[in-house]
Amino acid sequence: MNAKYYIGIMSGTSLDGVDIALVDFSLPKPKLVASDFTPMPNDLREKITALVRSGETTLQQLGELDHQLGLLYADCVNHFLQSRQIPTEHIQAIGCHGQTIWHSPQGKFPFTMQIGDMNLLAARTNITTVGDFRRKDMAFGGQGAPLVPAFHQAVFFDPNYATVVLNIGGISNVSLLIPNQPIMGFDTGTGNTLLDLWIEKHLGVPYDKNGEWAATGQCNEELLDYLLDEPFFQQPPPKSTGRELFNLSWLEQKIQHIATNSTALLPQDIQATLVEFTVRSISASLNNISTTLPKRLLVCGGGAKNKFIMQRLANSLRNWEIYTTNEFGMDADYVEAAAFAWLAYRRMNHQTGNLPDVTGAQQAVGLGAVFPMP
């Protein structure tokens, strides 16, 4: 067998489930061979959501969640391989991001925390596993995020285009692949997180399919301006964010402030405003790009399937060619999972994984701790 197979695992801030990507590194460019998605079990999702919202837990609960996630990741991998009749020994390593429960790169003692026991994952699959990707970058002064721009460069860079890869997950982030300029990447702000939280609160469903509910509302410009007034948007890159800032409490405080100064807002109008909030924060990040090359935007993540978001993006970025990564050979749902297969490949081959211009680290370093199997 000439293929060099690595598995990437990603469970993001949306907490919708576990993405698995099987990537072949025997070719000039990484190739996504197969992929799968497993919904997050409801009880586990509820426990993690409560932990992230409150920022509080017990050591017992934290340890149990770490264990449960390790088992979930292992079950996902084993089912994935068995259903496709792929022998375990054909997999060089697993790269698992883990589940972020807190990301605090700006404090006096910066840290990031992902859980999911990598020892269990390695033991239950019998495959060498690489995890804990972000903290080495932070140890060298970086934000620990975003880590995917280096992968985007390997897969999507084109010397004839100013290419931006936009991932709209729970949080939105961009990779700027501009010829003759340093590769840049940063979080632009919220993606689907607030949209999902708001529709779940009001309609009891986990996400707004195709943005259909948002499309029934009207954007409230006063609320939108107040949301965009958040200091995060004035920070220069490198920068990263998460649910620690953009959460339901943050949103409800903003809504309350507006509601005391104007008429009450309808829930669907707030959903429409949140779509515009996502879109405006993205477009504002791209308006400053200076280049004479044609500009193209490649969208991935769950937001790529939200027709309303994609329509609003096209409206806001009229001088850009806009595609999904599907049209460039990489399923938009599995780009991030594939990126962690790539980071595992880099780690196992003693190569660096971060881009200091992106994360703010003092130097390029190898990322990830290895949990070997014989």
Side-chain angles (χ1 to χ4, degrees):
M1 188 184 89
N2 295 321
K4 294 181 181 177
Y5 286 159
Y6 284 73
I7 285 175
I9 302 176
M10 182 70 194
S11 55
T13 52
S14 61
L15 295 172
D16 57 344
V18 179
D19 295 329
I20 288 186
L22 177 66
V23 184
D24 184 2
F25 290 94
S26 65
L27 306 167
K29 282 191 175 184
K31 181 183 178 182
L32 180 62
V33 177
S35 55
D36 200 8
F37 172 77
T38 302
M40 185 74 71
N42 283 335
D43 65 326
L44 192 54
R45 180 173 180 263
E46 288 171 3
K47 289 175 184 175
I48 297 171
T49 299
L51 189 160
V52 172
R53 283 180 181 173
S54 69
E56 296 178 356
T57 186
T58 64
L59 291 175
Q60 180 72 26
Q61 185 185 42
L62 184 63
E64 289 179 357
L65 286 175
D66 185 57
H67 189 104
Q68 285 179 271
L69 279 165
L71 293 179
L72 174 63
Y73 295 146
D75 288 346
C76 290
V77 170
N78 288 333
H79 176 266
F80 175 80
L81 294 176
Q82 289 163 10
S83 65
R84 288 161 179 78
Q85 298 183 321
I86 300 172
T88 297
E89 57 269 23
H90 286 185
I91 308 301
Q92 307 289 313
I94 296 168
C96 182
H97 174 268
Q99 182 64 55
T100 297
I101 56 171
W102 207 258
H103 183 67
S104 182
Q106 302 288 4
K108 182 179 179 182
F109 301 103
F111 75 96
T112 187
M113 184 176 290
Q114 288 76 39
I115 60 172
D117 189 342
M118 300 297 144
N119 295 285
L120 268 176
L121 175 54
R124 294 297 180 102
T125 60
N126 202 36
I127 300 171
T128 292
T129 296
V130 186
D132 193 13
F133 287 98
R134 298 190 183 276
R135 292 198 295 174
K136 179 61 74 67
D137 180 83
M138 295 187 78
F140 282 85
Q143 296 258 325
L147 298 182
V148 293
F151 173 69
H152 291 160
Q153 179 187 24
V155 177
F156 299 116
F157 180 83
D158 187 320
N160 300 310
Y161 283 87
T163 302
V164 172
V165 183
L166 166 64
N167 174 60
I168 309 177
I171 298 298
S172 295
N173 52 69
V174 290
S175 300
L176 278 53
L177 314 177
I178 316 296
N180 303 314
Q181 295 183 25
I183 304 301
M184 293 294 293
F186 51 91
D187 289 351
T188 63
T190 189
N192 300 314
T193 292
L194 295 177
L195 291 163
D196 293 348
L197 291 170
W198 190 249
I199 195 170
E200 186 169 31
K201 175 182 171 71
H202 288 275
L203 299 187
V205 295
Y207 67 98
D208 187 3
K209 185 178 180 181
N210 291 324
E212 290 170 2
W213 189 46
T216 67
Q218 297 291 323
C219 175
N220 183 287
E221 291 291 338
E222 185 182 5
L223 176 59
L224 177 61
D225 289 343
Y226 194 48
L227 297 175
L228 289 168
D229 195 44
E230 178 64 39
F232 172 81
F233 298 110
Q234 279 69 56
Q235 293 176 21
K239 61 179 180 177
S240 56
T241 190
R243 283 192 181 214
E244 304 76 32
L245 172 59
F246 295 112
N247 52 51
L248 196 58
S249 295
W250 177 88
L251 175 61
E252 289 174 338
Q253 287 172 9
K254 300 286 187 180
I255 293 168
Q256 184 62 38
H257 176 87
I258 295 300
T260 58
N261 295 295
S262 61
T263 56
L265 300 170
L266 296 173
Q268 62 268 35
D269 290 344
I270 292 171
Q271 190 78 351
T273 305
L274 290 174
V275 166
E276 204 64 23
F277 178 47
T278 291
V279 170
R280 294 269 187 98
S281 56
I282 292 166
S283 59
S285 300
L286 303 184
N287 285 336
N288 296 327
I289 292 176
S290 177
T291 179
T292 58
L293 292 169
K295 294 183 283 190
R296 68 182 185 189
L297 183 68
L298 313 185
V299 187
C300 60
K305 294 187 291 189
N306 186 312
K307 292 179 181 178
F308 192 41
I309 287 179
M310 295 296 285
Q311 287 168 2
R312 296 305 306 148
L313 272 175
N315 235 31
S316 298
L317 298 167
R318 293 185 181 275
N319 58 338
W320 288 73
E321 300 173 25
I322 300 179
Y323 309 92
T324 68
T325 56
N326 295 43
E327 296 158 270
F328 290 78
M330 187 71 66
D331 189 318
D333 284 333
Y334 297 99
V335 174
E336 274 205 294
F340 284 91
W342 182 82
L343 285 166
Y345 168 80
R346 300 281 293 185
R347 179 66 181 85
M348 295 301 294
N349 288 278
H350 310 289
Q351 298 172 2
T352 59
N354 63 333
L355 292 173
D357 284 335
V358 171
T359 66
Q362 294 147 10
Q363 65 185 72
V365 292
L367 301 180
V370 180
F371 298 80
M373 290 301 296

